[in-house]
Amino acid sequence: MPSIVKSFLGFDRLIGAGLVKLVYYFAAAIIIIMVGVTIFVGLFAIAGGNLGAGLMQIVAAPVVGIVALVYWRFVCELFMLAFLSFERLGEVRN
């Protein structure tokens, strides 16, 4: 147990890369849920008589979701790049 505390407080290894992955998966799940909700709302719009808006939501939601996932992946990779470069510099130093 003391080694876990020592490694956590020692800053010998950064935990940022793991946190970035965790945040990525959490936000990706949120994006996917929101795409599903938007499609569901589009179906309700069609049922309510607003055919144009409903079809637009059903068609646009997956497209916007894919673009959002790609953009979010890109942003997270930029953060990962900072942590991975720090680890590589440590390897070069050693």
Side-chain angles (χ1 to χ4, degrees):
M1 186 71 173
S3 65
I4 294 172
V5 174
K6 184 180 177 183
S7 67
F8 181 73
L9 297 175
F11 288 97
D12 295 332
R13 184 171 176 273
L14 295 178
I15 61 171
L19 288 176
V20 170
K21 289 178 186 177
L22 183 69
V23 169
Y24 170 75
Y25 289 127
F26 179 73
I30 296 292
I31 290 170
I32 291 169
I33 290 169
M34 292 308 295
V35 166
V37 167
T38 305
I39 290 172
F40 193 63
V41 168
L43 291 173
F44 271 117
I46 290 174
N50 197 348
L51 184 64
L55 284 177
M56 183 58 72
Q57 284 181 324
I58 291 172
V59 170
V63 174
V64 171
I66 290 170
V67 170
L69 282 173
V70 169
Y71 179 74
W72 183 242
R73 173 70 185 233
F74 176 72
V75 169
C76 287
E77 283 180 1
L78 287 177
F79 283 110
M80 287 288 288
L81 185 65
F83 292 112
L84 294 176
S85 65
F86 177 79
E87 289 178 3
R88 297 274 190 243
L89 285 173
E91 290 174 5
V92 169
R93 183 190 63 207
N94 292 335

